[in-house]
PDB file of all heavy atoms in Angstrom:
ATOM      1  N   ALA A 781      22.026  12.447 -11.843  1.00  0.00           N
ATOM      2  CA  ALA A 781      23.431  12.692 -11.477  1.00  0.00           C
ATOM      3  C   ALA A 781      24.126  11.532 -10.878  1.00  0.00           C
ATOM      4  O   ALA A 781      25.228  11.180 -11.229  1.00  0.00           O
ATOM      5  CB  ALA A 781      23.521  13.933 -10.557  1.00  0.00           C
ATOM      6  N   ALA A 782      23.400  10.780 -10.047  1.00  0.00           N
ATOM      7  CA  ALA A 782      23.964   9.678  -9.431  1.00  0.00           C
ATOM      8  C   ALA A 782      24.172   8.507 -10.468  1.00  0.00           C
ATOM      9  O   ALA A 782      25.160   7.768 -10.301  1.00  0.00           O
ATOM     10  CB  ALA A 782      22.992   9.125  -8.237  1.00  0.00           C
ATOM     11  N   ALA A 783      23.270   8.479 -11.399  1.00  0.00           N
ATOM     12  CA  ALA A 783      23.422   7.378 -12.392  1.00  0.00           C
ATOM     13  C   ALA A 783      24.695   7.644 -13.275  1.00  0.00           C
ATOM     14  O   ALA A 783      25.348   6.721 -13.684  1.00  0.00           O
ATOM     15  CB  ALA A 783      22.219   7.353 -13.290  1.00  0.00           C
ATOM     16  N   LYS A 784      24.987   8.865 -13.530  1.00  0.00           N
ATOM     17  CA  LYS A 784      26.151   9.189 -14.236  1.00  0.00           C
ATOM     18  C   LYS A 784      27.380   8.874 -13.441  1.00  0.00           C
ATOM     19  O   LYS A 784      28.452   8.468 -13.994  1.00  0.00           O
ATOM     20  CB  LYS A 784      26.174  10.673 -14.725  1.00  0.00           C
ATOM     21  CG  LYS A 784      25.190  11.030 -15.797  1.00  0.00           C
ATOM     22  CD  LYS A 784      25.191  12.453 -16.120  1.00  0.00           C
ATOM     23  CE  LYS A 784      24.238  12.855 -17.225  1.00  0.00           C
ATOM     24  NZ  LYS A 784      24.287  14.292 -17.580  1.00  0.00           N
ATOM     25  N   ALA A 785      27.330   9.149 -12.160  1.00  0.00           N
ATOM     26  CA  ALA A 785      28.528   9.048 -11.323  1.00  0.00           C
ATOM     27  C   ALA A 785      28.764   7.595 -10.916  1.00  0.00           C
ATOM     28  O   ALA A 785      29.891   7.168 -10.646  1.00  0.00           O
ATOM     29  CB  ALA A 785      28.401   9.880 -10.023  1.00  0.00           C
ATOM     30  N   THR A 786      27.778   6.734 -10.896  1.00  0.00           N
ATOM     31  CA  THR A 786      27.848   5.347 -10.434  1.00  0.00           C
ATOM     32  C   THR A 786      27.366   4.453 -11.522  1.00  0.00           C
ATOM     33  O   THR A 786      26.151   4.198 -11.601  1.00  0.00           O
ATOM     34  CB  THR A 786      27.138   5.130  -9.104  1.00  0.00           C
ATOM     35  OG1 THR A 786      27.522   6.075  -8.187  1.00  0.00           O
ATOM     36  CG2 THR A 786      27.425   3.815  -8.593  1.00  0.00           C
ATOM     37  N   PRO A 787      28.222   3.944 -12.390  1.00  0.00           N
ATOM     38  CA  PRO A 787      27.746   3.099 -13.521  1.00  0.00           C
ATOM     39  C   PRO A 787      27.202   1.725 -12.980  1.00  0.00           C
ATOM     40  O   PRO A 787      27.514   1.258 -11.938  1.00  0.00           O
ATOM     41  CB  PRO A 787      29.069   2.892 -14.279  1.00  0.00           C
ATOM     42  CG  PRO A 787      30.160   2.994 -13.332  1.00  0.00           C
ATOM     43  CD  PRO A 787      29.652   4.049 -12.328  1.00  0.00           C
ATOM     44  N   SER A 788      26.305   1.146 -13.817  1.00  0.00           N
ATOM     45  CA  SER A 788      25.728  -0.159 -13.420  1.00  0.00           C
ATOM     46  C   SER A 788      26.612  -1.310 -13.939  1.00  0.00           C
ATOM     47  O   SER A 788      26.288  -2.480 -13.593  1.00  0.00           O
ATOM     48  CB  SER A 788      24.303  -0.249 -14.138  1.00  0.00           C
ATOM     49  OG  SER A 788      24.411  -0.096 -15.509  1.00  0.00           O
ATOM     50  N   LEU A 789      27.621  -1.036 -14.663  1.00  0.00           N
ATOM     51  CA  LEU A 789      28.554  -2.073 -15.085  1.00  0.00           C
ATOM     52  C   LEU A 789      29.979  -1.766 -14.533  1.00  0.00           C
ATOM     53  O   LEU A 789      30.576  -0.690 -14.736  1.00  0.00           O
ATOM     54  CB  LEU A 789      28.673  -2.123 -16.662  1.00  0.00           C
ATOM     55  CG  LEU A 789      27.322  -2.567 -17.353  1.00  0.00           C
ATOM     56  CD1 LEU A 789      27.582  -2.556 -18.916  1.00  0.00           C
ATOM     57  CD2 LEU A 789      26.884  -3.966 -16.986  1.00  0.00           C
ATOM     58  N   VAL A 790      30.538  -2.747 -13.889  1.00  0.00           N
ATOM     59  CA  VAL A 790      31.855  -2.630 -13.315  1.00  0.00           C
ATOM     60  C   VAL A 790      32.834  -3.578 -14.141  1.00  0.00           C
ATOM     61  O   VAL A 790      32.580  -4.787 -14.251  1.00  0.00           O
ATOM     62  CB  VAL A 790      31.854  -3.090 -11.839  1.00  0.00           C
ATOM     63  CG1 VAL A 790      33.324  -3.003 -11.312  1.00  0.00           C
ATOM     64  CG2 VAL A 790      31.011  -2.093 -11.001  1.00  0.00           C
ATOM     65  N   VAL A 791      33.861  -3.010 -14.664  1.00  0.00           N
ATOM     66  CA  VAL A 791      34.835  -3.702 -15.433  1.00  0.00           C
ATOM     67  C   VAL A 791      36.100  -3.925 -14.592  1.00  0.00           C
ATOM     68  O   VAL A 791      36.691  -2.998 -14.055  1.00  0.00           O
ATOM     69  CB  VAL A 791      35.231  -2.971 -16.694  1.00  0.00           C
ATOM     70  CG1 VAL A 791      36.202  -3.752 -17.556  1.00  0.00           C
ATOM     71  CG2 VAL A 791      33.966  -2.690 -17.603  1.00  0.00           C
ATOM     72  N   THR A 792      36.468  -5.224 -14.483  1.00  0.00           N
ATOM     73  CA  THR A 792      37.635  -5.629 -13.762  1.00  0.00           C
ATOM     74  C   THR A 792      38.691  -6.122 -14.780  1.00  0.00           C
ATOM     75  O   THR A 792      38.439  -7.187 -15.413  1.00  0.00           O
ATOM     76  CB  THR A 792      37.401  -6.694 -12.731  1.00  0.00           C
ATOM     77  OG1 THR A 792      36.376  -6.254 -11.777  1.00  0.00           O
ATOM     78  CG2 THR A 792      38.678  -7.037 -11.952  1.00  0.00           C
ATOM     79  N   ARG A 793      39.809  -5.404 -14.930  1.00  0.00           N
ATOM     80  CA  ARG A 793      40.824  -5.842 -15.949  1.00  0.00           C
ATOM     81  C   ARG A 793      41.834  -6.714 -15.194  1.00  0.00           C
ATOM     82  O   ARG A 793      42.286  -6.366 -14.108  1.00  0.00           O
ATOM     83  CB  ARG A 793      41.390  -4.636 -16.596  1.00  0.00           C
ATOM     84  CG  ARG A 793      40.365  -3.802 -17.322  1.00  0.00           C
ATOM     85  CD  ARG A 793      40.996  -2.686 -18.166  1.00  0.00           C
ATOM     86  NE  ARG A 793      39.956  -1.909 -18.861  1.00  0.00           N
ATOM     87  CZ  ARG A 793      39.329  -2.322 -19.913  1.00  0.00           C
ATOM     88  NH1 ARG A 793      39.634  -3.458 -20.508  1.00  0.00           N
ATOM     89  NH2 ARG A 793      38.381  -1.556 -20.462  1.00  0.00           N
ATOM     90  N   HIS A 794      42.334  -7.756 -15.862  1.00  0.00           N
ATOM     91  CA  HIS A 794      43.359  -8.670 -15.296  1.00  0.00           C
ATOM     92  C   HIS A 794      44.712  -8.413 -16.003  1.00  0.00           C
ATOM     93  O   HIS A 794      44.731  -7.878 -17.124  1.00  0.00           O
ATOM     94  CB  HIS A 794      42.847 -10.094 -15.453  1.00  0.00           C
ATOM     95  CG  HIS A 794      41.531 -10.358 -14.772  1.00  0.00           C
ATOM     96  ND1 HIS A 794      41.312 -10.306 -13.515  1.00  0.00           N
ATOM     97  CD2 HIS A 794      40.304 -10.589 -15.337  1.00  0.00           C
ATOM     98  CE1 HIS A 794      40.036 -10.586 -13.198  1.00  0.00           C
ATOM     99  NE2 HIS A 794      39.399 -10.766 -14.338  1.00  0.00           N
TER     100      HIS A 794
END
Side-chain angles (χ1 to χ4, degrees):
K784 289 181 180 179
T786 308
S788 58
L789 295 177
V790 175
V791 180
T792 303
R793 301 190 181 279
H794 304 292

